[in-house]
Amino acid sequence: MSDDPSASRQRVCVLGATGTIGRATVGALLRRGHQVVCFVRPRAGVGASLTPADVARLLDGAEVKVVDPTDPLSLARDGFAGERFDALVSCMASRTGAPKDAWAIDHRAQLNVLEAARQAGVGHLVLLSAICVQKPLLAFQQAKLAFEAALIESGLRYSIVRPTAFFKSLSGQIERVRRGRPFLVFGDGTLTACKPIGDDDLADYIAGCLEDEGRWNRILPIGGPGEAITPRQQGEALFAMLGRPPRLQSAPVALLDIVIGGLGALGRFAPSLADKAELARIGRYYATESMLVLDPQTGRYDAAATPSTGTQTLFDFYRAVLAGADAPERGDHAVF
């Protein structure tokens, strides 16, 4: 290996750069000395609220190009534009997870990006996927898994990163508890467990895929530091940090089944309600399935087999938010 630090610097294209993990990944790549070019949609961010000028300020230090990933012509003309790129990192994901959106972005747009990257001579594609594709019961999981298969079969060097729960997805009840309301759980709060991972720790892991040959041509489940934790433990920790006795309110999973059944029936006549039924199915999935490595032999989730990285725990994050740090914008993925 060369002693010249610049020898390891790469020109990296990033998609999904305006999302929470995308922004952190751009920062991690820049800190490692890479040249970063972000392909962003004409209206990006939560609720498509960011203009190109907003994005340029948000991603300071990176070059920003306005590109429509659903349009192969735009990818070639406005994105790659005959320029050299060593690697591509895709943190792109559908905004809602509804079937139409999922197949359009998590599959078709990703395929467009893959083909354009191959034609541009990109050597390595790092994909931010999700650990829940191990048990693909939902449309967005099936779309992600179909693209994973296409990437593996493409012949391009790949790193498929499947993180466990994000801090932002577990932050929705912080304000609720602070206002004195109970922490909501399904069942007794121990139906599921996860090893949550922070934005910066995940971003550093994603950026490291460009340099660590042990992460090449592999599917990489990854969680944060520490033991797996249940929703009950999350709620108890929040109350302890506030110096209050824990108050947990239980909801039966059957309640979600009733909502799903009702919306599903009405959705046959109203497409918008069909999408709401899918969102309810997503909520039920996360209420009953752990975000850990799934043992294919036993069909059980295995915390010990779920790799860890980083230094920040979910409880560190909770303490920071309670102390005044900004809570992340949760957008279309908010449940509580």
Side-chain angles (χ1 to χ4, degrees):
M1 184 178 293
S2 170
D3 292 331
D4 180 4
S6 66
S8 62
R9 291 175 186 160
Q10 300 185 40
R11 191 162 193 254
V12 184
C13 165
V14 178
L15 283 96
T18 59
T20 304
I21 305 303
R23 292 198 303 272
T25 299
V26 168
L29 290 165
L30 290 170
R31 286 191 295 274
R32 289 170 180 254
H34 298 303
Q35 182 183 0
V36 180
V37 182
C38 301
F39 293 2
V40 303
R41 295 181 237 188
R43 299 292 293 189
V46 174
S49 59
L50 299 177
T51 67
D54 294 329
V55 173
R57 288 190 293 270
L58 189 68
L59 303 174
D60 186 36
E63 180 182 349
V64 175
K65 294 187 176 191
V66 177
V67 181
D68 181 357
T70 67
D71 180 359
L73 178 60
S74 178
L75 280 163
R77 180 192 62 212
D78 307 321
F80 292 101
E83 300 172 10
R84 178 190 64 81
F85 289 89
D86 301 295
L88 183 148
V89 176
S90 180
C91 298
M92 182 171 63
S94 58
R95 289 188 173 117
T96 66
K100 184 178 178 181
D101 190 24
W103 284 102
I105 302 300
D106 296 314
H107 185 251
R108 174 50 54 189
Q110 295 278 28
L111 286 176
N112 292 341
V113 170
L114 172 60
E115 182 56 31
R118 290 176 62 186
Q119 293 183 9
V122 171
H124 188 178
L125 196 155
V126 181
L127 173 68
L128 175 62
S129 186
I131 204 166
C132 61
V133 301
Q134 301 171 111
K135 195 171 182 179
L137 304 181
L138 303 166
F140 83 90
Q141 297 163 338
Q142 293 157 4
K144 285 180 180 293
L145 202 58
F147 177 69
E148 284 190 11
L151 175 57
I152 291 168
E153 294 168 5
S154 71
L156 200 67
R157 181 196 300 157
Y158 65 87
S159 302
I160 296 173
V161 181
R162 291 179 176 176
T164 63
F166 299 152
F167 287 178
K168 76 171 183 178
S169 66
L170 303 177
S171 67
Q173 298 195 66
I174 295 176
E175 193 56 35
R176 174 188 175 86
V177 169
R178 183 160 27 197
R179 293 198 305 265
R181 301 178 67 188
F183 188 92
L184 298 176
V185 298
F186 288 97
D188 67 354
T190 64
L191 297 176
T192 65
C194 61
K195 296 177 77 170
I197 187 166
D199 299 348
D200 291 338
D201 287 335
L202 177 55
D204 192 60
Y205 185 85
I206 291 170
C209 290
L210 299 182
E211 304 153 17
D212 185 344
E213 294 185 20
R215 301 179 195 173
W216 294 359
N217 298 321
R218 289 189 60 197
I219 292 174
L220 303 159
I222 192 68
E227 300 295 320
I229 54 176
T230 65
R232 173 174 285 275
Q233 290 171 313
Q234 294 164 33
E236 290 172 344
L238 272 174
F239 279 102
M241 290 173 198
L242 290 165
R244 303 173 189 166
R247 290 180 59 215
L248 275 65
Q249 182 175 332
S250 174
V253 173
L255 179 63
L256 289 173
D257 293 330
I258 294 170
V259 171
I260 292 167
L263 289 173
L266 294 172
R268 290 197 291 269
F269 309 100
S272 63
L273 293 180
D275 285 345
K276 290 184 183 298
E278 183 69 8
L279 294 178
R281 291 186 193 97
I282 292 172
R284 188 192 191 285
Y285 186 99
Y286 288 119
T288 56
E289 303 288 342
S290 291
M291 296 297 106
L292 299 168
V293 167
L294 183 66
D295 185 329
Q297 301 300 319
T298 65
R300 295 179 180 176
Y301 292 103
D302 188 343
T306 306
S308 296
T309 192
T311 59
Q312 188 183 28
T313 69
L314 178 67
F315 298 150
D316 293 332
F317 171 77
Y318 281 172
R319 278 187 283 270
V321 173
L322 290 172
D326 290 336
E329 172 58 63
R330 300 170 67 236
D332 294 306
H333 299 282
V335 176
F336 295 107

